Amino acid sequence: MSDFEDETKSHLSSLIAHTYSDLAVVCAGLPISIALPTPSGKEIALSEAIPAIRRSMILIEEQPLPEAPKDTFVAACCYWLAAVDIFTLLVVNGFHTARALSAATVLNDADEKLKEISTWLADRWLEENDS
């Protein structure tokens, strides 16, 4: 395996963990907080993280939020789960540049959705606390 392939896998793994951490922050900031398993260091246990993200996609429906931010949150979770699936294929079935780019692109989409819901939540918080 080439250094490029190893470095790319390592970078994607780091991006997956970072996006998961961002999902955890958003979950904690929801009106009804959702707690996700905490990563140990920079590593996340996908065996815990994947079911937790799936569960949060169900629990978002109980949040006192309009449909648009709920949909944005679900999209972020879907993108993260898709990136994990693509990354798993990359590791199990062998490295391919197209697969690595696909994982990175989907993670970028997840990050964009997380920025969108974070901004929405921050704006609501400011409106409620601007006295």
Side-chain angles (χ1 to χ4, degrees):
M1 185 168 318
S2 75
D3 288 343
F4 171 76
E5 292 173 6
D6 287 341
E7 288 175 19
T8 301
K9 287 180 187 179
S10 177
H11 183 67
L12 285 171
S13 178
S14 177
L15 290 175
I16 288 169
H18 180 76
T19 302
Y20 177 81
S21 293
D22 289 347
L23 277 164
V25 169
V26 168
C27 284
L30 291 169
I32 303 169
S33 183
I34 299 172
L36 297 181
T38 310
S40 58
K42 293 183 180 181
E43 298 292 321
I44 58 171
L46 291 178
S47 61
E48 294 177 4
I50 291 169
I53 294 297
R54 289 177 180 156
R55 203 169 32 257
S56 71
M57 293 170 67
I58 295 166
L59 293 175
I60 194 71
E61 292 306 318
E62 298 173 14
Q63 295 287 330
L65 300 172
E67 287 305 308
K70 287 180 183 181
D71 292 345
T72 301
F73 177 81
V74 169
C77 293
C78 287
Y79 287 139
W80 184 84
L81 289 167
V84 170
D85 286 348
I86 295 167
F87 181 74
T88 301
L89 288 172
L90 184 75
V91 171
V92 173
N93 292 347
F95 185 88
H96 194 284
T97 302
R99 205 171 264 147
L101 289 171
S102 296
T105 300
V106 176
L107 282 169
N108 185 63
D109 292 342
D111 289 340
E112 289 301 316
K113 292 298 181 186
L114 286 169
K115 287 177 192 170
E116 190 178 324
I117 190 155
S118 295
T119 300
W120 190 91
L121 288 168
D123 288 348
R124 297 301 81 68
W125 186 88
L126 288 172
E127 286 174 7
E128 293 172 5
N129 294 290
D130 191 28
S131 308

mmCIF file of all heavy atoms in Angstrom, residues 84-95 99:
data_model
loop_
_atom_site.group_PDB
_atom_site.id
_atom_site.type_symbol
_atom_site.label_atom_id
_atom_site.label_comp_id
_atom_site.label_asym_id
_atom_site.label_seq_id
_atom_site.Cartn_x
_atom_site.Cartn_y
_atom_site.Cartn_z
ATOM 1 N N VAL A 84 -19.305 6.952 6.182
ATOM 2 C CA VAL A 84 -18.777 5.795 6.900
ATOM 3 C C VAL A 84 -18.886 4.538 6.026
ATOM 4 O O VAL A 84 -17.943 3.744 5.949
ATOM 5 C CB VAL A 84 -19.500 5.604 8.251
ATOM 6 C CG1 VAL A 84 -19.141 4.266 8.890
ATOM 7 C CG2 VAL A 84 -19.160 6.752 9.195
ATOM 8 N N ASP A 85 -20.011 4.379 5.348
ATOM 9 C CA ASP A 85 -20.180 3.222 4.463
ATOM 10 C C ASP A 85 -19.142 3.234 3.338
ATOM 11 O O ASP A 85 -18.530 2.203 3.035
ATOM 12 C CB ASP A 85 -21.585 3.203 3.858
ATOM 13 C CG ASP A 85 -22.663 2.791 4.850
ATOM 14 O OD1 ASP A 85 -22.318 2.296 5.950
ATOM 15 O OD2 ASP A 85 -23.848 2.977 4.528
ATOM 16 N N ILE A 86 -18.951 4.397 2.721
ATOM 17 C CA ILE A 86 -17.976 4.500 1.625
ATOM 18 C C ILE A 86 -16.567 4.230 2.151
ATOM 19 O O ILE A 86 -15.780 3.521 1.515
ATOM 20 C CB ILE A 86 -18.060 5.881 0.950
ATOM 21 C CG1 ILE A 86 -19.422 6.064 0.277
ATOM 22 C CG2 ILE A 86 -16.940 6.058 -0.070
ATOM 23 C CD1 ILE A 86 -19.728 7.499 -0.139
ATOM 24 N N PHE A 87 -16.253 4.789 3.310
ATOM 25 C CA PHE A 87 -14.937 4.568 3.901
ATOM 26 C C PHE A 87 -14.723 3.079 4.195
ATOM 27 O O PHE A 87 -13.642 2.540 3.957
ATOM 28 C CB PHE A 87 -14.771 5.398 5.174
ATOM 29 C CG PHE A 87 -13.436 5.237 5.824
ATOM 30 C CD1 PHE A 87 -12.300 5.822 5.278
ATOM 31 C CD2 PHE A 87 -13.295 4.486 6.983
ATOM 32 C CE1 PHE A 87 -11.057 5.671 5.866
ATOM 33 C CE2 PHE A 87 -12.059 4.319 7.583
ATOM 34 C CZ PHE A 87 -10.936 4.924 7.024
ATOM 35 N N THR A 88 -15.748 2.414 4.685
ATOM 36 C CA THR A 88 -15.656 0.980 4.965
ATOM 37 C C THR A 88 -15.356 0.205 3.679
ATOM 38 O O THR A 88 -14.500 -0.691 3.671
ATOM 39 C CB THR A 88 -16.951 0.470 5.620
ATOM 40 O OG1 THR A 88 -17.169 1.191 6.839
ATOM 41 C CG2 THR A 88 -16.883 -1.019 5.917
ATOM 42 N N LEU A 89 -16.028 0.567 2.606
ATOM 43 C CA LEU A 89 -15.734 -0.068 1.313
ATOM 44 C C LEU A 89 -14.293 0.189 0.887
ATOM 45 O O LEU A 89 -13.620 -0.698 0.354
ATOM 46 C CB LEU A 89 -16.686 0.455 0.233
ATOM 47 C CG LEU A 89 -18.126 -0.027 0.316
ATOM 48 C CD1 LEU A 89 -18.984 0.735 -0.696
ATOM 49 C CD2 LEU A 89 -18.212 -1.519 0.067
ATOM 50 N N LEU A 90 -13.827 1.386 1.130
ATOM 51 C CA LEU A 90 -12.453 1.753 0.786
ATOM 52 C C LEU A 90 -11.447 0.873 1.529
ATOM 53 O O LEU A 90 -10.455 0.423 0.959
ATOM 54 C CB LEU A 90 -12.227 3.233 1.132
ATOM 55 C CG LEU A 90 -10.903 3.860 0.766
ATOM 56 C CD1 LEU A 90 -10.841 4.123 -0.728
ATOM 57 C CD2 LEU A 90 -10.727 5.166 1.521
ATOM 58 N N VAL A 91 -11.725 0.622 2.782
ATOM 59 C CA VAL A 91 -10.822 -0.180 3.609
ATOM 60 C C VAL A 91 -10.943 -1.668 3.281
ATOM 61 O O VAL A 91 -9.946 -2.362 3.128
ATOM 62 C CB VAL A 91 -11.091 0.077 5.114
ATOM 63 C CG1 VAL A 91 -10.326 -0.895 5.986
ATOM 64 C CG2 VAL A 91 -10.738 1.513 5.471
ATOM 65 N N VAL A 92 -12.172 -2.153 3.146
ATOM 66 C CA VAL A 92 -12.403 -3.584 2.959
ATOM 67 C C VAL A 92 -12.124 -4.041 1.521
ATOM 68 O O VAL A 92 -11.490 -5.078 1.312
ATOM 69 C CB VAL A 92 -13.848 -3.958 3.374
ATOM 70 C CG1 VAL A 92 -14.179 -5.398 3.027
ATOM 71 C CG2 VAL A 92 -14.056 -3.703 4.864
ATOM 72 N N ASN A 93 -12.578 -3.266 0.558
ATOM 73 C CA ASN A 93 -12.477 -3.694 -0.842
ATOM 74 C C ASN A 93 -11.259 -3.147 -1.568
ATOM 75 O O ASN A 93 -11.079 -3.414 -2.739
ATOM 76 C CB ASN A 93 -13.727 -3.293 -1.618
ATOM 77 C CG ASN A 93 -14.946 -4.061 -1.177
ATOM 78 O OD1 ASN A 93 -14.839 -5.050 -0.466
ATOM 79 N ND2 ASN A 93 -16.109 -3.611 -1.575
ATOM 80 N N GLY A 94 -10.464 -2.372 -0.886
ATOM 81 C CA GLY A 94 -9.271 -1.827 -1.521
ATOM 82 C C GLY A 94 -9.423 -0.364 -1.888
ATOM 83 O O GLY A 94 -10.511 0.110 -2.184
ATOM 84 N N PHE A 95 -8.317 0.299 -1.874
ATOM 85 C CA PHE A 95 -8.290 1.733 -2.126
ATOM 86 C C PHE A 95 -8.608 2.037 -3.583
ATOM 87 O O PHE A 95 -8.134 1.363 -4.496
ATOM 88 C CB PHE A 95 -6.915 2.315 -1.792
ATOM 89 C CG PHE A 95 -6.865 3.807 -1.908
ATOM 90 C CD1 PHE A 95 -7.193 4.590 -0.828
ATOM 91 C CD2 PHE A 95 -6.518 4.414 -3.107
ATOM 92 C CE1 PHE A 95 -7.169 5.971 -0.929
ATOM 93 C CE2 PHE A 95 -6.489 5.789 -3.220
ATOM 94 C CZ PHE A 95 -6.818 6.571 -2.133
ATOM 95 N N ARG A 99 -13.434 6.375 -4.769
ATOM 96 C CA ARG A 99 -14.122 6.073 -3.510
ATOM 97 C C ARG A 99 -13.682 7.052 -2.414
ATOM 98 O O ARG A 99 -14.503 7.535 -1.636
ATOM 99 C CB ARG A 99 -13.834 4.632 -3.111
ATOM 100 C CG ARG A 99 -14.893 4.049 -2.231
ATOM 101 C CD ARG A 99 -14.690 2.563 -2.034
ATOM 102 N NE ARG A 99 -15.518 1.842 -2.987
ATOM 103 C CZ ARG A 99 -15.184 0.682 -3.531
ATOM 104 N NH1 ARG A 99 -14.059 0.103 -3.236
ATOM 105 N NH2 ARG A 99 -15.997 0.089 -4.371
#
